[in-house]
Amino acid sequence: MTSRAITLRLVHRGRIPYIESFHDKRRDEFLNREIFHSLAEAEIMSESWRKEYNTERIHSSLGYQTPDEYAANAQIPFRAAPSTPSVREYQT
C-alpha cells in the first residue's frame, strides 16, 4: 500500500457565493425537510429535487431564467447533470 500526503484546504464561508447559495437552498428546502428511510430513497428524492432546481426554477443570477432556458439562449452545449457520483459508486 502506498502512503500519500493529503493537504486539507478550507473554503471560508462567503468566498464562493453562488455555491454557498446553492448549498443553503439544498439544505433548507430539501435536506432539512425530508426523512430518508434508505439510501435508495435519498438518491431518488435528491435526483428529483435536482431536476426541479435545474429545469423548472428560475434563478436570479441567470436573469430569472431556468438553467435550461439560459443555456438555450446562450447557445452553449449545457444540460443539467449530477455534479457528484452516486454514493454507491464509492462503495466498491
Side-chain angles (χ1 to χ4, degrees):
M1 188 157 141
T2 306
S3 176
R4 296 183 184 185
I6 298 174
T7 303
L8 296 177
R9 295 180 185 213
L10 299 176
V11 175
H12 298 284
R13 190 169 182 86
R15 289 185 106 176
I16 308 173
Y18 59 91
I19 293 174
E20 288 295 325
S21 176
F22 169 78
H23 285 273
D24 289 345
K25 285 179 177 62
R26 184 168 179 85
R27 183 179 50 253
D28 293 342
E29 297 173 10
F30 176 64
L31 297 173
N32 289 346
R33 295 183 182 185
E34 301 292 342
I35 296 175
F36 308 109
H37 298 286
S38 69
L39 178 59
E41 180 184 18
E43 288 177 336
I44 291 167
M45 293 176 76
S46 180
E47 178 64 7
S48 176
W49 186 88
R50 183 196 64 79
K51 284 182 180 178
E52 186 267 335
Y53 185 83
N54 284 322
T55 62
E56 298 175 21
R57 290 181 51 166
I58 59 171
H59 298 252
S60 60
S61 63
L62 301 177
Y64 296 95
Q65 301 175 81
T66 68
D68 282 353
E69 291 169 335
Y70 180 81
N73 293 334
Q75 299 178 359
I76 57 174
F78 171 80
R79 292 293 300 161
S83 60
T84 57
S86 165
V87 172
R88 291 191 180 125
E89 292 177 29
Y90 290 111
Q91 298 174 340
T92 56

